[in-house]
Amino acid sequence: MTHPNPVIPPAEAQTSVDSTDLLNSSTAGVIVERTAQVRNGFHAEGRKFARMMAEFVNVKQVGVASVFVYEETFGIKDKLHWLIHLSSLEAYEAMVHMGTSDQEYRGNVSSEQVSEDKGGGGWDKIFVDGSMQETVLMPQFWGMYGTKVDGEREKQTSVYQQQGPLTGLPGAREQVPQPVDQLVHSGNCGLLLHRTAQLEYDFRSEGRTFAREAAESINENLPGEATVFVYEEAFGAADRIHWLIHMKSLTTYYKVLALHVKDERIRDLYFQERIAPERGGGTWARMFVPGSMVDVALTPHHWGMYAT
């Protein structure tokens, strides 16, 4: 018996495009996360369609859009996640135009995806009706959506300093001072933990500060092993924060756990009083709606995964 390779190929390995030409969670100005539930009986067809459409975009839209496919590691089986990395919202318009005018793209979408012995049909037969949803994520920057920090960090962002009209946002890379070769992102990670939490409106500024500081506590202490970027949800729920926690592998999660047990400076982030006494005082726990913090672990898809 051969011993299986324990290393899960990163999402960059899904495409024929060179990694240097791909957008990822550190460089994209916008990420559209698309999810869809594969219908029972069409497990292989669903994954083949997902990968086919991702590769079509990767090849056709170099520098504009890059798409990676993920599976839920421990959550809902056969639920697919596409992370569509875009340079800007303008790039989304280019994607819409491609869907309207590119005949090769339209031909792929409308082609038969199901074999005759299963009744034939297109992609719409593969997925559960109504299960396809999209969430738009934009890299967080200090002062975003009218929130305040300390009056100084807001002015140090490239958004504040940019002259002329704003046409895009810097990638989440701007949030992290570590060098590029120490970053773990959606293209090279072995596990992507997507954490969401809804802020209490009264503490929207304090919550964002905590979100960034909690992310940086991991970035500083696990360079090359784990990198966390913070995003804001656009066009969806207001003041819902998204953390993308990128890890080299599933076992890196143990290192993150140990960090929060052994490092007193990190522990202090979670136990210190962060809300002013005149506002009732309290730790980070008062900043978020109870029960709204949810983690979804994602694994980059590779051929043959889950015996498909």
Short mmCIF file of all heavy atoms in Angstrom, two decimals, residues 134-177:
data_model
loop_
_atom_site.label_atom_id
_atom_site.label_comp_id
_atom_site.label_asym_id
_atom_site.label_seq_id
_atom_site.Cartn_x
_atom_site.Cartn_y
_atom_site.Cartn_z
N GLU A 134 -24.12 34.82 -3.34
CA GLU A 134 -22.86 35.55 -3.46
C GLU A 134 -22.74 36.56 -2.32
O GLU A 134 -23.73 37.19 -1.93
CB GLU A 134 -22.77 36.27 -4.80
CG GLU A 134 -22.62 35.33 -5.99
CD GLU A 134 -22.43 36.05 -7.30
OE1 GLU A 134 -22.74 37.26 -7.35
OE2 GLU A 134 -21.97 35.43 -8.27
N THR A 135 -21.52 36.71 -1.81
CA THR A 135 -21.20 37.70 -0.80
C THR A 135 -20.00 38.51 -1.31
O THR A 135 -19.00 37.93 -1.74
CB THR A 135 -20.84 37.05 0.54
OG1 THR A 135 -21.91 36.20 0.97
CG2 THR A 135 -20.58 38.11 1.61
N VAL A 136 -20.14 39.81 -1.28
CA VAL A 136 -19.08 40.69 -1.78
C VAL A 136 -18.24 41.18 -0.60
O VAL A 136 -18.78 41.76 0.36
CB VAL A 136 -19.66 41.89 -2.55
CG1 VAL A 136 -18.54 42.81 -3.05
CG2 VAL A 136 -20.52 41.40 -3.72
N LEU A 137 -16.94 40.96 -0.67
CA LEU A 137 -16.02 41.34 0.39
C LEU A 137 -15.03 42.38 -0.13
O LEU A 137 -14.47 42.21 -1.22
CB LEU A 137 -15.25 40.12 0.90
CG LEU A 137 -16.07 38.91 1.34
CD1 LEU A 137 -15.14 37.77 1.77
CD2 LEU A 137 -17.00 39.28 2.48
N MET A 138 -14.82 43.42 0.67
CA MET A 138 -13.85 44.45 0.30
C MET A 138 -12.83 44.59 1.42
O MET A 138 -13.19 44.57 2.60
CB MET A 138 -14.56 45.79 0.06
CG MET A 138 -15.66 45.68 -1.00
SD MET A 138 -16.49 47.25 -1.35
CE MET A 138 -15.28 48.02 -2.41
N PRO A 139 -11.53 44.67 1.08
CA PRO A 139 -10.50 44.78 2.12
C PRO A 139 -10.76 45.97 3.04
O PRO A 139 -11.06 47.08 2.58
CB PRO A 139 -9.20 44.98 1.31
CG PRO A 139 -9.50 44.44 -0.05
CD PRO A 139 -10.95 44.72 -0.28
N GLN A 140 -10.68 45.73 4.33
CA GLN A 140 -10.94 46.77 5.32
C GLN A 140 -9.76 47.74 5.39
O GLN A 140 -8.61 47.34 5.26
CB GLN A 140 -11.19 46.13 6.69
CG GLN A 140 -11.93 47.00 7.66
CD GLN A 140 -11.02 47.83 8.54
OE1 GLN A 140 -9.85 47.55 8.67
NE2 GLN A 140 -11.57 48.88 9.13
N PHE A 141 -10.05 49.02 5.52
CA PHE A 141 -9.00 50.00 5.76
C PHE A 141 -9.47 50.91 6.88
O PHE A 141 -10.67 51.08 7.12
CB PHE A 141 -8.65 50.79 4.49
CG PHE A 141 -9.81 51.56 3.89
CD1 PHE A 141 -10.07 52.87 4.28
CD2 PHE A 141 -10.63 50.98 2.93
CE1 PHE A 141 -11.14 53.57 3.74
CE2 PHE A 141 -11.70 51.68 2.38
CZ PHE A 141 -11.96 52.98 2.79
N TRP A 142 -8.54 51.51 7.60
CA TRP A 142 -8.87 52.34 8.75
C TRP A 142 -9.79 53.49 8.35
O TRP A 142 -9.51 54.20 7.39
CB TRP A 142 -7.62 52.89 9.42
CG TRP A 142 -6.73 51.88 10.05
CD1 TRP A 142 -5.42 51.64 9.77
CD2 TRP A 142 -7.07 50.96 11.11
NE1 TRP A 142 -4.92 50.64 10.58
CE2 TRP A 142 -5.91 50.21 11.40
CE3 TRP A 142 -8.25 50.71 11.83
CZ2 TRP A 142 -5.90 49.22 12.39
CZ3 TRP A 142 -8.23 49.72 12.81
CH2 TRP A 142 -7.07 49.00 13.09
N GLY A 143 -10.87 53.66 9.08
CA GLY A 143 -11.81 54.75 8.81
C GLY A 143 -12.94 54.35 7.88
O GLY A 143 -13.82 55.18 7.59
N MET A 144 -12.94 53.12 7.38
CA MET A 144 -13.94 52.67 6.41
C MET A 144 -15.35 52.75 7.00
O MET A 144 -15.56 52.47 8.18
CB MET A 144 -13.61 51.23 6.00
CG MET A 144 -14.36 50.73 4.79
SD MET A 144 -13.65 49.11 4.27
CE MET A 144 -14.59 48.79 2.78
N TYR A 145 -16.29 53.16 6.17
CA TYR A 145 -17.70 53.27 6.55
C TYR A 145 -17.92 54.21 7.73
O TYR A 145 -18.76 53.95 8.61
CB TYR A 145 -18.31 51.88 6.82
CG TYR A 145 -18.42 51.02 5.59
CD1 TYR A 145 -18.03 49.69 5.61
CD2 TYR A 145 -18.92 51.55 4.39
CE1 TYR A 145 -18.12 48.89 4.48
CE2 TYR A 145 -19.01 50.76 3.25
CZ TYR A 145 -18.61 49.44 3.30
OH TYR A 145 -18.70 48.65 2.17
N GLY A 146 -17.15 55.28 7.78
CA GLY A 146 -17.39 56.31 8.77
C GLY A 146 -17.05 55.93 10.19
O GLY A 146 -17.65 56.45 11.14
N THR A 147 -16.10 55.04 10.37
CA THR A 147 -15.68 54.65 11.71
C THR A 147 -14.37 55.36 12.06
O THR A 147 -13.66 55.83 11.18
CB THR A 147 -15.50 53.13 11.82
OG1 THR A 147 -14.58 52.68 10.81
CG2 THR A 147 -16.83 52.42 11.63
N LYS A 148 -14.07 55.42 13.35
CA LYS A 148 -12.87 56.14 13.77
C LYS A 148 -11.93 55.21 14.53
O LYS A 148 -12.33 54.20 15.10
CB LYS A 148 -13.24 57.33 14.64
CG LYS A 148 -13.98 56.99 15.92
CD LYS A 148 -14.34 58.25 16.69
CE LYS A 148 -15.10 57.93 17.98
NZ LYS A 148 -15.43 59.15 18.74
N VAL A 149 -10.64 55.58 14.52
CA VAL A 149 -9.63 54.82 15.24
C VAL A 149 -8.96 55.78 16.23
O VAL A 149 -9.43 55.95 17.35
CB VAL A 149 -8.58 54.22 14.28
CG1 VAL A 149 -7.71 53.22 15.02
CG2 VAL A 149 -9.28 53.51 13.12
N ASP A 150 -7.91 56.44 15.81
CA ASP A 150 -7.21 57.37 16.70
C ASP A 150 -6.93 58.71 16.03
O ASP A 150 -6.23 59.55 16.58
CB ASP A 150 -5.90 56.74 17.18
CG ASP A 150 -5.01 56.28 16.02
OD1 ASP A 150 -5.29 56.68 14.87
OD2 ASP A 150 -4.06 55.52 16.26
N GLY A 151 -7.48 58.91 14.85
CA GLY A 151 -7.26 60.17 14.14
C GLY A 151 -5.99 60.21 13.33
O GLY A 151 -5.79 61.12 12.53
N GLU A 152 -5.12 59.22 13.51
CA GLU A 152 -3.85 59.17 12.80
C GLU A 152 -3.79 58.03 11.78
O GLU A 152 -3.42 58.24 10.63
CB GLU A 152 -2.69 59.03 13.79
CG GLU A 152 -2.50 60.26 14.67
CD GLU A 152 -2.20 61.52 13.88
OE1 GLU A 152 -1.48 61.41 12.87
OE2 GLU A 152 -2.68 62.60 14.26
N ARG A 153 -4.18 56.83 12.22
CA ARG A 153 -4.10 55.68 11.31
C ARG A 153 -5.00 55.85 10.10
O ARG A 153 -4.69 55.38 9.00
CB ARG A 153 -4.44 54.39 12.07
CG ARG A 153 -3.28 53.86 12.90
CD ARG A 153 -3.61 52.58 13.62
NE ARG A 153 -4.42 52.82 14.81
CZ ARG A 153 -4.73 51.89 15.70
NH1 ARG A 153 -4.31 50.64 15.52
NH2 ARG A 153 -5.45 52.19 16.77
N GLU A 154 -6.14 56.55 10.28
CA GLU A 154 -7.02 56.78 9.15
C GLU A 154 -6.31 57.56 8.05
O GLU A 154 -6.52 57.31 6.85
CB GLU A 154 -8.27 57.57 9.59
CG GLU A 154 -9.16 56.86 10.59
CD GLU A 154 -8.85 57.25 12.02
OE1 GLU A 154 -7.64 57.41 12.35
OE2 GLU A 154 -9.79 57.37 12.81
N LYS A 155 -5.46 58.50 8.45
CA LYS A 155 -4.79 59.37 7.49
C LYS A 155 -3.58 58.72 6.83
O LYS A 155 -3.04 59.26 5.86
CB LYS A 155 -4.37 60.66 8.18
CG LYS A 155 -5.54 61.48 8.70
CD LYS A 155 -5.07 62.72 9.44
CE LYS A 155 -6.24 63.51 9.99
NZ LYS A 155 -5.80 64.71 10.74
N GLN A 156 -3.17 57.58 7.35
CA GLN A 156 -2.00 56.90 6.80
C GLN A 156 -2.36 55.90 5.70
O GLN A 156 -1.48 55.34 5.06
CB GLN A 156 -1.25 56.18 7.93
CG GLN A 156 -0.64 57.13 8.94
CD GLN A 156 -0.11 56.42 10.17
OE1 GLN A 156 -0.11 55.19 10.24
NE2 GLN A 156 0.35 57.18 11.15
N THR A 157 -3.64 55.67 5.48
CA THR A 157 -4.04 54.70 4.46
C THR A 157 -3.87 55.29 3.06
O THR A 157 -3.95 56.51 2.87
CB THR A 157 -5.51 54.28 4.65
OG1 THR A 157 -6.37 55.40 4.41
CG2 THR A 157 -5.75 53.75 6.06
N SER A 158 -3.68 54.42 2.10
CA SER A 158 -3.55 54.89 0.71
C SER A 158 -4.86 55.46 0.21
O SER A 158 -4.86 56.34 -0.68
CB SER A 158 -3.09 53.73 -0.19
OG SER A 158 -4.01 52.67 -0.15
N VAL A 159 -5.99 55.02 0.77
CA VAL A 159 -7.29 55.57 0.36
C VAL A 159 -7.37 57.04 0.74
O VAL A 159 -7.82 57.89 -0.04
CB VAL A 159 -8.44 54.77 1.01
CG1 VAL A 159 -9.78 55.44 0.74
CG2 VAL A 159 -8.47 53.35 0.46
N TYR A 160 -6.95 57.36 1.96
CA TYR A 160 -6.98 58.75 2.43
C TYR A 160 -6.01 59.62 1.64
O TYR A 160 -6.33 60.76 1.28
CB TYR A 160 -6.63 58.79 3.92
CG TYR A 160 -6.70 60.18 4.53
CD1 TYR A 160 -7.88 60.65 5.09
CD2 TYR A 160 -5.58 61.02 4.53
CE1 TYR A 160 -7.95 61.93 5.64
CE2 TYR A 160 -5.63 62.29 5.07
CZ TYR A 160 -6.82 62.75 5.63
OH TYR A 160 -6.88 64.02 6.17
N GLN A 161 -4.85 59.08 1.35
CA GLN A 161 -3.80 59.87 0.71
C GLN A 161 -3.94 59.97 -0.80
O GLN A 161 -3.29 60.79 -1.43
CB GLN A 161 -2.44 59.26 1.06
CG GLN A 161 -2.11 59.34 2.54
CD GLN A 161 -0.80 58.68 2.89
OE1 GLN A 161 -0.06 58.21 2.01
NE2 GLN A 161 -0.47 58.61 4.17
N GLN A 162 -4.80 59.14 -1.39
CA GLN A 162 -4.95 59.15 -2.84
C GLN A 162 -5.55 60.47 -3.32
O GLN A 162 -6.51 60.98 -2.75
CB GLN A 162 -5.84 57.99 -3.28
CG GLN A 162 -6.08 57.93 -4.78
CD GLN A 162 -6.91 56.72 -5.18
OE1 GLN A 162 -6.77 55.64 -4.62
NE2 GLN A 162 -7.79 56.91 -6.16
N GLN A 163 -5.00 60.98 -4.38
CA GLN A 163 -5.51 62.19 -4.99
C GLN A 163 -6.52 61.82 -6.09
O GLN A 163 -6.34 60.84 -6.80
CB GLN A 163 -4.37 63.01 -5.59
CG GLN A 163 -3.31 63.43 -4.58
CD GLN A 163 -3.84 64.34 -3.50
OE1 GLN A 163 -4.57 65.29 -3.79
NE2 GLN A 163 -3.48 64.05 -2.25
N GLY A 164 -7.56 62.63 -6.23
CA GLY A 164 -8.53 62.37 -7.28
C GLY A 164 -9.57 61.35 -6.85
O GLY A 164 -9.59 60.88 -5.71
N PRO A 165 -10.48 60.99 -7.76
CA PRO A 165 -11.58 60.08 -7.42
C PRO A 165 -11.07 58.67 -7.09
O PRO A 165 -10.08 58.20 -7.65
CB PRO A 165 -12.43 60.07 -8.68
CG PRO A 165 -11.50 60.46 -9.78
CD PRO A 165 -10.55 61.43 -9.17
N LEU A 166 -11.77 58.02 -6.19
CA LEU A 166 -11.41 56.66 -5.79
C LEU A 166 -11.99 55.67 -6.79
O LEU A 166 -13.20 55.65 -7.03
CB LEU A 166 -11.96 56.37 -4.39
CG LEU A 166 -11.57 55.03 -3.76
CD1 LEU A 166 -10.07 54.98 -3.49
CD2 LEU A 166 -12.34 54.82 -2.44
N THR A 167 -11.14 54.86 -7.41
CA THR A 167 -11.60 53.89 -8.41
C THR A 167 -11.38 52.45 -7.98
O THR A 167 -11.76 51.53 -8.69
CB THR A 167 -10.88 54.13 -9.75
OG1 THR A 167 -9.46 54.01 -9.54
CG2 THR A 167 -11.21 55.51 -10.30
N GLY A 168 -10.75 52.25 -6.82
CA GLY A 168 -10.51 50.89 -6.34
C GLY A 168 -9.89 50.95 -4.96
O GLY A 168 -9.52 52.02 -4.47
N LEU A 169 -9.78 49.78 -4.34
CA LEU A 169 -9.20 49.69 -3.01
C LEU A 169 -7.90 48.90 -3.07
O LEU A 169 -7.75 47.99 -3.89
CB LEU A 169 -10.17 48.97 -2.05
CG LEU A 169 -11.49 49.66 -1.75
CD1 LEU A 169 -12.29 48.82 -0.76
CD2 LEU A 169 -11.27 51.06 -1.19
N PRO A 170 -6.96 49.23 -2.18
CA PRO A 170 -5.74 48.42 -2.10
C PRO A 170 -6.07 47.04 -1.57
O PRO A 170 -7.03 46.87 -0.79
CB PRO A 170 -4.87 49.21 -1.12
CG PRO A 170 -5.85 49.96 -0.27
CD PRO A 170 -6.98 50.32 -1.19
N GLY A 171 -5.31 46.05 -1.97
CA GLY A 171 -5.54 44.71 -1.46
C GLY A 171 -5.29 44.64 0.03
O GLY A 171 -4.66 45.52 0.62
N ALA A 172 -5.77 43.57 0.65
CA ALA A 172 -5.61 43.40 2.09
C ALA A 172 -4.14 43.32 2.49
O ALA A 172 -3.80 43.43 3.67
CB ALA A 172 -6.35 42.14 2.55
N ARG A 173 -3.26 43.14 1.51
CA ARG A 173 -1.82 43.13 1.76
C ARG A 173 -1.39 44.37 2.54
O ARG A 173 -0.47 44.32 3.34
CB ARG A 173 -1.09 43.07 0.41
CG ARG A 173 0.42 43.32 0.45
CD ARG A 173 1.13 42.13 1.07
NE ARG A 173 2.57 42.36 1.21
CZ ARG A 173 3.15 42.89 2.29
NH1 ARG A 173 2.40 43.29 3.30
NH2 ARG A 173 4.45 43.01 2.36
N GLU A 174 -2.08 45.49 2.32
CA GLU A 174 -1.73 46.73 3.00
C GLU A 174 -1.93 46.64 4.51
O GLU A 174 -1.34 47.41 5.27
CB GLU A 174 -2.56 47.89 2.45
CG GLU A 174 -2.11 49.25 2.95
CD GLU A 174 -2.91 50.39 2.38
OE1 GLU A 174 -4.01 50.65 2.90
OE2 GLU A 174 -2.44 51.04 1.43
N GLN A 175 -2.75 45.71 4.96
CA GLN A 175 -3.02 45.56 6.39
C GLN A 175 -1.85 44.92 7.14
O GLN A 175 -1.77 45.02 8.37
CB GLN A 175 -4.26 44.68 6.61
CG GLN A 175 -5.54 45.21 6.01
CD GLN A 175 -6.68 44.20 6.12
OE1 GLN A 175 -6.54 43.13 6.73
NE2 GLN A 175 -7.82 44.53 5.53
N VAL A 176 -0.97 44.23 6.41
CA VAL A 176 0.03 43.37 7.04
C VAL A 176 1.44 43.87 6.73
O VAL A 176 1.82 43.97 5.57
CB VAL A 176 -0.13 41.91 6.54
CG1 VAL A 176 0.85 40.99 7.24
CG2 VAL A 176 -1.56 41.43 6.76
N PRO A 177 2.24 44.16 7.77
CA PRO A 177 3.59 44.66 7.53
C PRO A 177 4.61 43.59 7.16
O PRO A 177 5.70 43.90 6.72
CB PRO A 177 3.96 45.31 8.87
CG PRO A 177 3.16 44.55 9.88
CD PRO A 177 1.87 44.20 9.20
#
